[in-house]
């Protein structure tokens, strides 16, 4: 686990990877309805006036707020639509979650050196999180692309077929129709987003947990993991929302030529607050995701601890 505070024994990379993938997948299953609502809110463009006449009232946005968005999706498309993208989401967490968390401790140890004694500096924790996030998402980007495309597709008119029948069909069609390289569409903002958020999540969880364990009466238990997980989720959303919005828009709409083009057009057309569109569902999702993931991870990793020999 990030920090390994108070752990006894050692965990192999295979053990860390497996425990991380299990914890990440469980958190994904629990929170993907919030992620679907977040993606829909981010992709929703600012609505223009309903008619050319000056006295016409502007149309209201289709999705309004976390609960409203979830209710609209469930009402129009069925409750199962809230779990759109779960298959590529689990593909993503097995690869991305397993690598970014599983590599964190080895990379952090590499940055501080074998002879380091005492607490690891926060800068090294941030560097380790940034590195593992960038490496992991560079490999897992196709799963993220497919997940966003499936989530972005709303209710269709009668007789209009869906672009993709499922995750495997989406992988195949994108590669066949747009080229294999298209599976890495949005890689730039995705690397930026995931490297930043991973650094924020893992470094803040590590740091908050380390700080809490120094306080009287606290120990390495569920309460500590709960507070550290919430802190990690909040900080990650604060620093990662702008790149998250750009990533979702680029993956959901092919009209943008580049990361910079998407950023400039979003700023020009929708204003700076657009970069924090869906902030509350994003925090609700990431906050709950981090709590569930870290609580699960701390427990699952105990199964992989290799006790130190005396």
């Amino acid at each position: 686990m990030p920090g390994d505070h108070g752990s006894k024994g050692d965990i192999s990379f295979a053990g860390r990877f497996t425990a991380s993938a299990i914890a990440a997948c469980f958190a994904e299953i629990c929170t993907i309805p919030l992620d679907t609502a977040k993606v829909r809110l981010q992709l929703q463009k600012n609505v223009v006036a309903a008619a050319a006449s000056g006295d016409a009232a502007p149309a209201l946005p289709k999705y309004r707020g976390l609960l409203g968005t979830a209710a609209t999706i469930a009402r129009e498309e069925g409750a199962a639509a809230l779990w759109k993208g779960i298959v590529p989401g689990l593909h993503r967490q097995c690869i991305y979650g397993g690598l970014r968390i599983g590599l964190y401790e080895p990379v952090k140890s590499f940055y501080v050196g074998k002879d380091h004694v005492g607490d690891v500096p926060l800068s090294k924790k941030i560097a380790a999180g940034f590195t593992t996030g960038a490496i992991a998402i560079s490999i897992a980007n196709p799963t993220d692309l497919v997940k966003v495309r499936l989530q972005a597709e709303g209710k269709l008119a009668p007789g209009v077929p869906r672009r993709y029948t499922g995750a495997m069909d989406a992988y195949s069609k994108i590669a066949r129709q747009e080229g294999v390289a298209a599976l890495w569409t949005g890689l730039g903002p995705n690397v930026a987003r995931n490297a930043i958020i991973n650094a924020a999540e893992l470094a803040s969880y590590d740091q908050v947990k380390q700080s809490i364990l120094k306080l009287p009466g606290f120990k390495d238990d569920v309460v500590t993991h709960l507070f550290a997980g919430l802190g990690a989720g909040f900080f990650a959303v604060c620093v990662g929302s702008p790149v998250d919005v750009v990533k979702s828009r680029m993956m959901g709409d092919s009209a943008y030529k580049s990361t910079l083009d998407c950023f400039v057009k979003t700023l020009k057309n929708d204003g700076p607050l657009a970069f924090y569109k869906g902030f509350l569902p994003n925090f609700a999702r990431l906050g709950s995701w981090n709590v569930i993931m870290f609580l699960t991870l701390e427990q699952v990793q105990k199964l992989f601890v290799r006790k130190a020999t005396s």
Side-chain angles (χ1 to χ4, degrees), residues 6 58 117 132 163 189 194:
V117 178
T132 63
R163 280 201 296 175
N194 284 280

Side-chain angles (χ1 to χ4, degrees), residues 105-155:
E105 282 299 321
V107 171
K108 186 174 70 173
S109 297
F110 172 78
Y111 282 152
V112 298
K114 293 186 295 183
D115 300 326
H116 178 79
V117 178
D119 292 339
V120 176
L122 179 59
S123 61
K124 302 295 185 183
K125 297 174 183 176
I126 293 173
F130 194 91
T131 301
T132 63
I135 292 171
I137 201 59
S138 295
I139 298 171
N141 194 82
T143 65
D144 222 9
L145 174 71
V146 169
K147 176 185 172 186
V148 170
R149 291 226 182 154
L150 290 176
Q151 288 177 317
E153 194 171 54
K155 185 180 181 181

Side-chain angles (χ1 to χ4, degrees), residues 176-244:
R176 188 171 64 251
Q177 297 174 359
E178 304 174 42
V180 175
L183 289 167
W184 276 267
T185 297
L187 180 61
N190 213 14
V191 167
R193 183 253 185 193
N194 284 280
I196 291 170
I197 289 182
N198 192 57
E201 281 181 357
L202 298 187
S204 60
Y205 182 85
D206 200 347
Q207 192 71 21
V208 170
K209 183 179 174 182
Q210 175 183 298
S211 300
I212 291 175
L213 289 175
K214 292 180 178 179
L215 298 175
F218 283 92
K219 55 185 179 179
D220 195 357
D221 59 9
V222 172
V223 175
T224 297
H225 305 158
L226 177 65
F227 284 126
L230 280 172
F234 181 75
F235 191 65
V237 175
C238 287
V239 301
S241 268
V243 285
D244 190 41

Side-chain angles (χ1 to χ4, degrees), residues 5-300:
H5 305 289
S7 64
K8 296 180 177 63
D10 185 31
I11 305 175
S12 66
F13 170 71
R16 290 184 189 280
F17 178 88
T18 303
S20 301
I22 291 171
C25 285
F26 181 66
E28 187 77 5
I29 292 170
C30 293
T31 63
I32 198 169
L34 299 177
D35 191 50
T36 300
K38 179 205 75 173
V39 169
R40 294 287 181 91
L41 283 169
Q42 287 178 338
L43 293 179
Q44 181 172 258
K45 304 292 193 301
N46 279 3
V47 181
V48 297
S53 58
D55 56 355
L60 293 175
K62 180 178 181 180
Y63 301 119
R64 298 177 65 86
L66 174 62
L67 296 180
T69 300
T72 299
I73 294 171
R75 183 175 62 252
E76 293 187 351
E77 305 167 46
L82 291 168
W83 273 267
K84 274 184 178 178
I86 186 60
V87 173
L90 294 179
H91 293 167
R92 178 186 188 272
Q93 292 306 337
C94 283
I95 301 171
Y96 173 67
L99 286 174
R100 75 179 181 101
I101 304 168
L103 285 171
Y104 177 73
E105 282 299 321
V107 171
K108 186 174 70 173
S109 297
F110 172 78
Y111 282 152
V112 298
K114 293 186 295 183
D115 300 326
H116 178 79
V117 178
D119 292 339
V120 176
L122 179 59
S123 61
K124 302 295 185 183
K125 297 174 183 176
I126 293 173
F130 194 91
T131 301
T132 63
I135 292 171
I137 201 59
S138 295
I139 298 171
N141 194 82
T143 65
D144 222 9
L145 174 71
V146 169
K147 176 185 172 186
V148 170
R149 291 226 182 154
L150 290 176
Q151 288 177 317
E153 194 171 54
K155 185 180 181 181
L156 301 175
V160 177
R162 293 196 174 276
R163 280 201 296 175
Y164 312 113
T165 58
M168 301 312 296
D169 180 57
Y171 289 124
S172 175
K173 280 185 177 176
I174 292 171
R176 188 171 64 251
Q177 297 174 359
E178 304 174 42
V180 175
L183 289 167
W184 276 267
T185 297
L187 180 61
N190 213 14
V191 167
R193 183 253 185 193
N194 284 280
I196 291 170
I197 289 182
N198 192 57
E201 281 181 357
L202 298 187
S204 60
Y205 182 85
D206 200 347
Q207 192 71 21
V208 170
K209 183 179 174 182
Q210 175 183 298
S211 300
I212 291 175
L213 289 175
K214 292 180 178 179
L215 298 175
F218 283 92
K219 55 185 179 179
D220 195 357
D221 59 9
V222 172
V223 175
T224 297
H225 305 158
L226 177 65
F227 284 126
L230 280 172
F234 181 75
F235 191 65
V237 175
C238 287
V239 301
S241 268
V243 285
D244 190 41
V245 169
V246 171
K247 181 214 74 168
S248 290
R249 289 197 172 192
M250 282 194 70
M251 288 185 168
D253 190 341
S254 59
Y256 301 110
K257 299 176 182 177
S258 65
T259 303
L260 181 61
D261 180 56
C262 181
F263 181 88
V264 171
K265 284 182 178 177
T266 300
L267 181 63
K268 180 180 178 181
N269 297 331
D270 301 338
L273 291 180
F275 293 110
Y276 284 90
K277 183 174 286 187
F279 180 88
L280 289 180
N282 204 5
F283 172 64
R285 196 262 173 171
L286 265 183
S288 59
W289 193 96
N290 273 275
V291 169
I292 294 170
M293 194 280 292
F294 281 117
L295 286 176
T296 305
L297 178 64
E298 296 277 8
Q299 301 306 311
V300 174

